[in-house]
Amino acid sequence: MIILIAEDNEDHFILTRDALHEAGLSDNIRWVADGEALMDYLLQAPAPQLILLDLNMPRMDGRQALKEIRAHPRLRQIPIVVLTTSKAPNDVLRSYELGANSFIKKPLTYDEMVHCMKTLKRYWLEIVELPKTDGF
Amino acid sequence: MTKGEKLSDDNELGEKDRTRTIIENALDGVIVMNERGIITEWNRQAESIFGWSRQEAVGKRMSETIIPQRYRKPHEEGIKRFLAGGEGPVLNKRVEFSAIRKDGSEFPIELTVTPIRTKSKYSFSAFVRDITERKRAQEEAERSLSLLRSTLESTTDGILLVDLTGKIVTFNRKFVEMWQIPETIVESRDDNQALAFVLNQLKDPEGFLSKVRELYSRPDAESFDTLEFKDGRIFERYSQPQRTGEKSAGRVWSFRDVTERKLAEKILQKRTGQIIRHQRALFELAKMDHADLDSSLKRIAEVDSKTLDVSRVSVWFYTEDRSEIICETLFRLSEEQHEKGLRLRARDYPGYFHALEESRTIAANDAVTDPRTREFAGDYLKKFGITSMLDVPIRRYGKVVGIVCHEHTDLKRDWTLEEQDFAASIADLISLSLEASERKKAEIELERSNKDLEQFAYVASHDLAEPLHTIIGFADRLKKYCERVPDSTAHDYFDRIVKAALRMQKLIEDILIYSRITTHAKPFEPVDLNTLLQELIVDLEARLKDSEGRIEAAKLPVVEGDRAQLRQLFQNLISNALKFRKKETPPRVIVTSRILDDRTAEISIQDNGIGFEEKFIEQIFQPFQRLHGWSEFDGSGIGLAICQKITLRHGGKITVKSKPGEGATFLLKLPVLL
């Protein structure tokens, strides 16, 4: 099981990673720092079970990455959860339009973060059963 | 009688008696005198004329009775001369003489003396008439005539008197002078020649002639007219009938030279017209929008040029270092075109620039010789054919900043005071225009910098949020680690860090909202405040439950606005009402509304909270103003500033009434949608 975090801010990556650990997902957490790195990873490595995607990143931002992933026949079914500090009402709508499965405003406190990660894990990794992708 | 009989013994008695009777009853006085000058006959009429009775007179010498002393000698000599065979100049014709009565009074008589020859002797018979009355009447007539004459001659009007047929009766010298009629024509008394001479001077001889003819056909008509001469003179003409008793006997024409008066009137009229034109032009220019300097200068130059009819009107401004003036606009009337860019160096024309500092206007009727402008004679005036200049300095705060130039080409021109005033007003107007455009520029600049500031606040707060997020996250994480260590002060410190950072987070969020009101504004749409408030109540449900609070809302209007912002506005106001509650009393918020006029609703949000002192009213709408410490009530201190900014953006107004301990009532005036 692989969880891929696309996040340009290393601090935020660490906090997210720690929260995931605390939620009981200690193995196979991968980190990319921008949209291009994310696409490179996806095109080369085995597909992750979940992508946590930040919206504002250098080079290629989360919105563009979303668009490209959803346009890609092999990658389109990977669940993507947008995890961002952006609070613009526009971003929520836009993210869903571009094909995000969920939109989560980064919680401020660590407790909330841990809580959030536990919910994500339960839903996306334990309840949802994904259909088989075309290419696999 | 006996004497008479004796003296006429030559005649037969019958004849004599008949003659006597005739003489006696004649209307005239009849006196007969013999060769020696002795009175021989004296009739009744003579008695009444002279006061001598027949008895007294007959036998006396003529010269001793009725002839005045001074004529006695000539009288006697005259008789002698006649008898000696000479002619008597007074004989056989009517002559007027002076005579004396018995009482010595002298009076005029008319008499005819006829010599009568009988046998060898002469006698003289005289028919005498007292003409005192006639003489007096005559003198009276003469006197009044001369009075009339002198009156006629002393008037300033030219007067001509004609009879009913139009023939000249008389005229005064003034008439001759005014019409400049040559002596020869005057003397010739040739009416036709005089008329021809008169007509020849007029602009419209036919018109005059037909009027004259018409007047002769209506002898009783009076008329008034103005005559224009070919040489520019103007006469007023009056014509009225001359009456003798009830009947017209002729016509009096009088003429008055009103050339100067008419000229003065014309000048006045022209001036008045000019002033009105100037006023209109200035009014038009004054009400124009002066925000764009370039276009206002063009318009001013054009209107100025057309109003004063000046071929070139230009506006010049000094350069920063005042070494040159640059032409901002030059309007050429003939081509109706603007140009700009010409430069003149101040040191090349020191006299002119000095005069400019010293004067209100430089009105150079002869620009080439005028000491103030002659420096331009060589290269500038000649080149453009400029003859007269009217230049006015443009001042700002008393300092000359430019010039408005009026350059007249063609024949030299005298600038009137009115024109100078107008030009000075134009300079003032340009000065105002400068000010207006500078103000406009400043406004645009201010608006831009305000926008920049808001943009900055937005970006800054946005970027501040990220690292803060990290701080909160790690501090919270560390706090968790410390929980494992009992009685750790570190845990308390990390707790404080987290709390402070959370407050900062809230602050940043509110600044973001505040700056977004204008940077992220949405177009207005109809917003139903009833549904908006219901949504809010649902959102606040948890808080209301905790505090046992209640929100009561009456029917609210539909307003035009930005929905998200209006929601923010009501959310802040109601949150405040719930937040600043009295500790022991459950919060209660009452929202009501009333229509003020067609366009405005007043919405009142009343609470039963702690309230505040009235002196803080101004303060609470300012950003970052807090009336309470952090520990009492949390919050950024921006909430009400956000409310005010949103209200203002919606063209509304927010006020508040409060007293400590008695709650607060916020009043919102918002434009309603009908």
Side-chain angles (χ1 to χ4, degrees), chain B residues 347-585:
Chain B
R347 68 179 151 99
D348 293 342
Y349 312 95
Y352 173 76
F353 282 97
H354 179 72
L356 210 58
E357 295 290 336
E358 303 292 307
S359 339
R360 181 172 163 265
T361 59
I362 296 179
N365 299 335
D366 185 351
V368 177
T369 61
D370 194 298
R372 296 167 298 181
T373 55
R374 66 177 168 217
E375 289 163 346
F376 294 104
D379 53 344
Y380 190 84
L381 300 181
K382 202 180 257 176
K383 187 171 158 195
F384 299 112
I386 298 160
T387 48
S388 305
M389 281 168 91
L390 172 58
D391 288 6
V392 187
I394 300 163
R395 289 174 200 275
R396 280 207 72 193
Y397 309 116
K399 195 176 164 193
V400 177
V401 295
I403 315 154
V404 54
C405 299
H406 302 76
E407 295 162 345
H408 178 75
T409 52
D410 207 351
L411 294 175
K412 272 177 253 168
R413 159 173 185 168
D414 287 350
W415 304 102
T416 66
L417 281 177
E418 287 81 9
E419 287 168 337
Q420 294 181 41
D421 277 346
F422 177 76
S425 301
I426 289 287
D428 290 344
L429 206 63
I430 293 170
S431 175
L432 285 175
S433 194
L434 268 174
E435 198 176 309
S437 73
E438 273 168 27
R439 201 188 310 122
K440 185 79 190 176
K441 234 185 263 171
E443 273 169 21
I444 291 169
E445 185 55 37
L446 187 67
E447 203 176 312
R448 206 180 55 79
S449 84
N450 272 346
K451 268 215 175 106
D452 281 355
L453 204 64
E454 274 162 5
Q455 192 63 34
F456 171 78
Y458 178 75
V459 171
S461 53
H462 193 266
D463 289 354
L464 281 174
E466 279 254 321
L468 197 60
H469 215 114
T470 309
I471 292 169
I472 294 166
F474 283 108
D476 203 29
R477 189 94 175 72
L478 283 170
K479 198 176 88 181
K480 287 272 144 31
Y481 278 122
C482 295
E483 269 169 6
R484 295 168 200 161
V485 185
D487 296 326
S488 166
T489 21
H491 177 268
D492 177 43
Y493 290 171
F494 282 122
D495 191 42
R496 285 172 191 278
I497 290 172
V498 171
K499 275 187 180 148
L502 282 174
R503 270 209 308 273
M504 191 169 170
Q505 173 68 25
K506 173 76 181 137
L507 207 60
I508 287 168
E509 237 170 66
D510 282 355
I511 292 172
L512 213 57
I513 291 168
Y514 186 77
S515 68
R516 261 189 194 159
I517 293 169
T518 44
T519 52
H520 286 60
K522 282 207 187 103
F524 285 2
E525 55 181 343
V527 178
D528 186 345
L529 293 181
N530 298 294
T531 50
L532 188 136
L533 202 67
Q534 287 313 310
E535 285 170 22
L536 269 177
I537 291 171
V538 171
D539 285 357
L540 292 164
E541 221 177 289
R543 271 178 77 183
L544 288 169
K545 213 173 218 173
D546 289 348
S547 61
E548 293 172 18
R550 213 165 72 228
I551 298 171
E552 291 169 24
K555 187 165 166 46
L556 301 177
V558 176
V559 299
E560 178 135 82
D562 181 328
R563 193 167 204 286
Q565 290 186 355
L566 287 173
R567 192 189 152 104
Q568 183 82 54
L569 169 64
F570 280 90
Q571 182 183 307
N572 285 7
L573 288 174
I574 290 169
S575 296
N576 270 359
L578 296 176
K579 182 161 77 181
F580 297 104
R581 53 174 290 203
K582 286 178 187 157
K583 274 196 178 110
E584 307 305 325
T585 319

Side-chain angles (χ1 to χ4, degrees), chain B residues 317-326 343 399 401:
Chain B
F317 289 135
Y318 271 109
T319 52
E320 201 82 34
D321 62 2
R322 296 179 78 80
S323 65
E324 281 182 307
I325 52 170
I326 301 177
R343 286 163 174 264
K399 195 176 164 193
V401 295

Side-chain angles (χ1 to χ4, degrees), chain B residues 13-38:
Chain B
L13 196 65
E15 179 75 10
K16 215 173 160 182
D17 280 346
R18 218 170 22 252
T19 315
R20 266 213 61 81
T21 308
I22 293 166
I23 290 168
E24 206 50 41
N25 293 310
L27 278 170
D28 289 343
V30 179
I31 302 168
V32 182
M33 176 186 82
N34 65 16
E35 280 183 356
R36 286 173 292 131
I38 306 288

Side-chain angles (χ1 to χ4, degrees), chain B residues 275-302:
Chain B
I275 290 169
I276 290 170
R277 258 208 344 275
H278 293 174
Q279 296 286 335
R280 276 202 196 123
L282 287 174
F283 179 66
E284 195 204 318
L285 291 176
K287 69 180 180 185
M288 170 176 100
D289 176 19
H290 289 273
D292 179 30
L293 186 62
D294 197 49
S295 63
S296 16
L297 290 181
K298 276 185 177 170
R299 183 84 191 115
I300 289 171
E302 188 175 335

